[in-house]
Amino acid sequence: MAIQYFWRHPLAEQVREEGRIQDRQEMTLHVLEWRGIPVPDAVRERVLACADLGRLEVLAQRAVHATDAAELFADE
């Protein structure tokens, strides 16, 4: 019973959320790298600093079509 309770605990949800955020950050950077697009440190730092899943989804989608890593932040 204690194990089932843990998965509903707020701490467990926080850990899952942090994992989703980290996965999105890494995937965005990997997509650029797989496509052969250089990722400057400034772009890498901005992606890794982002903790908004919705925003990270937008960045990941842009990474698929970008020709330059800076295009991820074209609206800013």
Side-chain angles (χ1 to χ4, degrees):
M1 210 50 156
I3 292 174
Q4 290 177 353
Y5 172 76
F6 174 76
W7 295 113
R8 288 182 269 174
H9 191 277
L11 179 60
E13 180 55 36
Q14 179 183 351
V15 169
R16 285 192 295 274
E17 183 78 4
E18 290 171 2
R20 287 190 288 268
I21 289 169
Q22 184 177 5
D23 285 345
R24 284 276 160 77
Q25 292 166 335
E26 291 173 359
M27 182 55 67
T28 300
L29 296 172
H30 285 313
V31 168
L32 292 171
E33 291 166 358
W34 292 333
R35 295 186 59 228
I37 297 172
V39 181
D41 289 339
V43 171
R44 181 177 306 281
E45 289 171 11
R46 286 181 74 180
V47 170
L48 294 175
C50 182
D52 179 312
L53 279 172
R55 180 73 174 143
L56 286 166
E57 181 68 29
V58 170
L59 297 179
Q61 290 174 5
R62 288 180 181 175
V64 172
H65 302 287
T67 56
D68 183 273
E71 291 178 27
L72 296 182
F73 302 101
D75 63 343
E76 296 177 6

